[in-house]
């Protein structure tokens, strides 16, 4: 009888200490590792560590898609979101490479295969497909320093923390509607966030020295409970697995754990981890099966199908594009917009939507863009590059990029499109000429080459000839 009681205690009475192998995914800026714990989790002798991604620049937030076995992370130095298959010898792929400054939080909707992220510098929260297509801004107003972000597809909610002048934790539907503050008092530096999907509760860490603690609440922010209210020097990231909470601490360079309901039974999982950042429990339990209305025919949406509270969904469009009156179909690109040239990139600001977010066009190898023009007929954008000494064009989505004129081009500082006659005019301060060609660069000829001294801006009025 005593032996039976001992077996029961070992299997069920130690809160998962001796059973159920655990895998913890964590980032340490230059590397992302998988910590495998098999046996007594209190003994570091039972740990093995595998490097999943190495020689990185500055990996901060990490996430994963368990079924597809894909690892995702944000790099704040490169300003990119990247991914890599967890299978051996796989290559790192870029998911989002433009229009990012400091992406500090990332979350995966494993149900509809979306990435959600925060950018604390640009003050944006965005969503995109796992392959980087159909990117859309969800929130752009009333964001100060958005940091951590988590999603709860089973309830259709997303949560994020904000470190701004009015620190808070915010909840909204995953389609960007129904925004509301859930935690606004007794909070200073809300860092890590996690949702317990098995026993629905929201968990968070506060890193401020005067507020340092681990807390939880209902998903609406009610029924708050302090699990640990001291002895947390600088907690950063948090995750849930089974009946345990796991978190990282910057000062202790450690991963630690406690009981998720009481805050008791605290122990050190692993220490001496330099540059320790984000933490995720890499287990199927963290991404359970969820029935969703986007599963059949993409919910009837032409582009993005986003989950919403109450088991519903909403059709959405890429940034700058309007959803038509049928609430399912997106317009064929932005119709009214402003194009802006920066030295190494082109940006589009749509006037069709309220956010007016500048979209970086996916065009590479721009060295010194000086001037741009647009052909509304074929929807090509044209630009001159003084370092490359050429004129190029491409579609707004970056496709069909091609050199229009390159030979005998030095410093083209003016360009104009004749959208009626289908001609391209440009001035060159290096050759002191004004030239014209067809829009594809053929039938080129010099219009003016005498009595010009560094001609710059040029404009045409096709309607008047």
């Amino acid at each position: 009888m005593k032996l039976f009681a001992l077996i029961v205690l070992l299997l069920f009475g130690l809160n998962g200490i001796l059973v159920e192998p655990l895998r913890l995914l964590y980032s340490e800026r230059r590397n992302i590792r998988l910590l495998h714990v098999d046996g007594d989790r209190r003994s570091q002798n039972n740990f093995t560590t595998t490097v999943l991604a190495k020689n990185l620049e500055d990996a901060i937030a990490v996430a994963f898609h368990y079924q597809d076995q894909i690892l995702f992370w944000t790099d704040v130095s490169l300003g990119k979101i990247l991914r890599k298959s967890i299978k051996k010898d796989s290559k790192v792929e870029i998911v989002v490479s433009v229009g990012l400054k400091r992406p500090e939080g990332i979350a995966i909707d494993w149900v509809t295969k979306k990435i959600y992220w925060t950018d604390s510098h640009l003050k944006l929260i965005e969503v995109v497909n796992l392959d980087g297509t159909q990117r859309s801004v969800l929130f752009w107003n009333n964001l100060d320093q958005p940091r951590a972000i988590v999603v709860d597809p089973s309830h259709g909610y997303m949560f994020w923390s904000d470190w701004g002048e009015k620190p808070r934790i915010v909840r909204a539907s995953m389609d960007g509607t129904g925004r509301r503050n859930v935690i606004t008092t007794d909070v200073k530096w809300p860092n890590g966030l996690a949702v317990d999907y098995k026993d629905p509760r929201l968990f968070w860490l506060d890193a401020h020295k005067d507020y340092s603690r681990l807390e939880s609440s209902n998903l609406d922010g009610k029924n708050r409970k302090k699990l640990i209210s001291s002895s947390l020097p600088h907690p950063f990231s948090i995750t849930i697995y089974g009946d345990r909470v796991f978190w990282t601490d910057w000062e202790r360079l450690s991963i630690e754990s406690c009981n998720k309901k009481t805050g008791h039974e605290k122990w050190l999982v692993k220490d001496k981890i330099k540059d320790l950042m984000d933490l995720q429990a890499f287990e199927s339990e963290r991404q359970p099966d969820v029935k969703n209305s986007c599963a059949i025919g993409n919910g009837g949406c032409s582009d993005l199908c986003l989950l919403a509270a109450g088991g519903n969904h909403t059709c959405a469009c890429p940034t700058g594009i309007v959803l038509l009156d049928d609430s399912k179909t997106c317009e064929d690109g932005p119709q009214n917009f402003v194009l802006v040239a920066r030295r190494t990139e082109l940006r589009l600001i749509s006037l069709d939507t309220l956010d007016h977010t500048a979209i970086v066009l996916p065009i590479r190898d721009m060295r010194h863009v000086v001037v741009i023009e647009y052909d509304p007929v074929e929807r090509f954008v044209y630009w001159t590059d003084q370092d490359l000494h050429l004129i190029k064009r491409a579609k707004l989505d970056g496709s069909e990029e091609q050199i229009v004129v390159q030979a005998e081009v030095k410093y083209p500082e003016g360009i104009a499109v004749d959208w009626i006659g289908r001609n391209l005019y440009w001035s060159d301060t290096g050759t002191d000429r004004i030239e014209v060609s067809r829009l594809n660069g053929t039938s080129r000829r010099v219009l003016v080459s005498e009595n010009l001294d560094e001609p710059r801006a040029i404009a045409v009025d096709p309607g008047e000839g």
Side-chain angles (χ1 to χ4, degrees):
M1 187 65 181
K2 291 183 179 180
L3 178 60
F4 175 77
L6 178 62
I7 293 174
V8 171
L9 176 65
L10 290 176
L11 291 178
F12 305 105
L14 294 182
N15 295 300
I17 295 174
L18 303 180
V19 296
E20 296 188 21
L22 168 68
R23 290 172 295 178
L24 292 173
L25 186 69
Y26 65 92
S27 57
E28 47 183 16
R29 292 192 185 273
R30 296 282 293 173
N31 302 292
I32 298 175
R33 300 178 185 270
L34 186 66
L35 179 67
H36 185 89
V37 185
D38 193 2
D40 188 345
R41 297 177 187 171
R42 296 169 300 180
S43 173
Q44 297 193 30
N45 294 328
N46 295 320
F47 297 170
T48 56
T49 303
T50 304
V51 178
L52 299 182
K54 60 183 178 180
N55 300 324
L56 308 178
E57 193 70 26
D58 199 356
I60 300 294
V62 295
F64 62 90
H65 191 282
Y66 190 85
Q67 184 176 17
D68 292 350
Q69 293 287 286
I70 300 177
L71 171 68
F72 296 85
W73 68 93
T74 66
D75 192 304
V76 295
S77 292
L78 297 178
K80 295 180 179 180
I81 296 176
L82 305 106
R83 73 177 190 178
K84 180 181 182 292
S85 172
I86 296 177
K87 299 175 183 177
K88 292 183 178 179
D89 302 324
S90 60
K91 295 182 179 180
V92 173
E93 300 176 77
I94 297 174
V95 182
V96 180
S97 62
V98 296
L100 296 177
K101 287 295 184 182
R102 194 168 180 82
E104 295 194 43
I106 186 173
I108 301 298
D109 170 13
W110 62 92
V111 179
T112 66
K113 297 192 174 183
K114 304 286 190 299
I115 306 172
Y116 289 74
W117 75 91
T118 62
D119 193 309
S120 60
H121 182 88
L122 297 178
K123 305 182 189 302
L124 294 173
I125 295 177
E126 301 187 61
V127 63
V128 75
N129 289 326
L130 293 188
D131 61 1
T133 60
Q134 298 181 343
R135 176 178 174 180
S136 183
V137 172
L138 291 177
F139 297 100
W140 64 93
N141 285 331
N142 194 26
L143 293 175
D144 199 345
Q145 295 183 50
R147 304 274 318 251
I149 185 169
V150 292
V151 296
D152 180 7
S154 61
H155 294 94
Y157 291 139
M158 58 186 293
F159 300 84
W160 70 88
S161 64
D162 196 308
W163 267 37
E165 292 184 5
K166 297 180 179 179
R168 58 194 181 275
I169 298 174
V170 187
R171 187 186 81 179
S173 283
M174 292 169 64
D175 63 352
T177 63
R179 173 177 176 171
R180 56 167 294 197
N181 296 329
V182 292
I183 301 295
T184 58
T185 60
D186 203 21
V187 63
K188 192 71 173 180
W189 289 355
N191 245 350
L193 292 177
V195 172
D196 185 351
Y197 303 120
K198 182 182 290 186
D199 303 310
R201 280 185 75 80
L202 176 67
F203 290 74
W204 69 94
L205 298 164
D206 196 312
H208 192 276
K209 63 179 181 179
D210 297 328
Y211 289 79
S212 179
R213 65 193 61 172
L214 165 61
E215 288 193 70
S216 72
S217 74
N218 294 342
L219 297 182
D220 58 4
K222 297 179 180 179
N223 191 23
R224 285 177 67 167
K225 184 175 183 179
K226 293 181 183 179
L227 298 174
I228 299 177
S229 58
S230 62
S231 70
L232 296 176
H234 197 120
F236 183 74
S237 180
I238 186 173
T239 190
I240 309 291
Y241 180 62
D243 58 3
R244 307 288 300 180
V245 180
F246 298 83
W247 69 90
T248 63
D249 193 291
W250 274 7
E251 285 194 21
R252 289 178 175 167
L253 308 179
S254 62
I255 299 173
E256 302 180 36
S257 177
C258 73
N259 184 282
K260 72 180 183 182
K261 294 183 178 180
T262 65
H264 299 157
E265 303 158 27
K266 179 182 173 185
W267 75 76
L268 175 69
V269 178
K270 184 174 175 59
D271 60 0
K272 300 178 182 178
I273 308 175
K274 187 178 179 181
D275 295 326
L276 180 59
M277 292 292 164
D278 206 2
L279 179 71
Q280 299 288 339
F282 184 71
E283 299 292 345
S284 60
E285 177 185 295
R286 295 299 297 156
Q287 296 186 352
D289 292 335
V290 176
K291 292 182 179 180
N292 76 93
S293 55
C294 291
I296 300 176
N298 196 39
C301 304
S302 66
D303 292 78
L304 290 163
C305 183
L306 302 180
L307 298 180
N312 300 312
H313 74 270
T314 298
C315 296
C317 301
T319 299
I321 300 176
V322 172
L323 189 67
L324 298 180
D325 291 340
D326 64 1
S327 299
K328 294 182 178 180
T329 309
C330 295
E331 180 69 82
D332 183 23
Q335 304 302 301
N336 304 281
F337 54 86
V338 175
L339 288 170
V340 180
R342 303 185 70 179
R343 187 183 183 93
T344 59
E345 64 187 24
L346 302 183
R347 296 192 175 200
L348 182 150
I349 302 174
S350 174
L351 304 179
D352 298 335
T353 55
L354 296 176
D355 58 280
H356 295 165
T357 301
I359 306 166
V360 179
L361 302 187
I363 301 172
R364 298 181 179 179
D365 196 26
M366 290 184 167
R367 307 288 180 83
H368 190 175
V369 176
V370 176
V371 65
I372 55 176
E373 256 284 22
Y374 181 68
D375 172 25
V377 178
E378 294 185 320
R379 300 177 69 86
F380 272 105
V381 58
Y382 292 76
W383 69 93
T384 68
D385 194 309
Q386 284 207 2
D387 284 4
L388 297 177
H389 308 291
L390 50 72
I391 300 173
K392 299 183 76 173
R393 72 177 184 176
K395 297 288 190 178
L396 294 178
D397 62 2
S399 64
E400 299 185 45
E401 181 180 347
Q402 56 195 260
I403 296 173
V404 178
V405 181
Q406 186 172 27
E408 296 186 49
V409 174
K410 290 187 177 180
Y411 302 110
E413 295 200 17
I415 189 173
V417 167
D418 171 7
W419 62 93
I420 296 177
R422 315 305 296 151
N423 294 315
L424 179 70
Y425 293 78
W426 71 92
S427 58
D428 193 318
T429 60
T431 62
D432 288 335
R433 296 191 305 214
I434 293 177
E435 301 187 58
V436 65
S437 75
R438 304 299 288 173
L439 290 179
N440 62 4
T442 61
S443 303
R444 174 181 177 181
R445 68 187 181 94
V446 177
L447 287 180
V448 184
S449 61
E450 297 180 354
N451 300 320
L452 291 177
D453 185 12
E454 297 187 357
R456 294 182 181 273
I458 187 172
V460 297
D461 184 355
E464 296 295 328

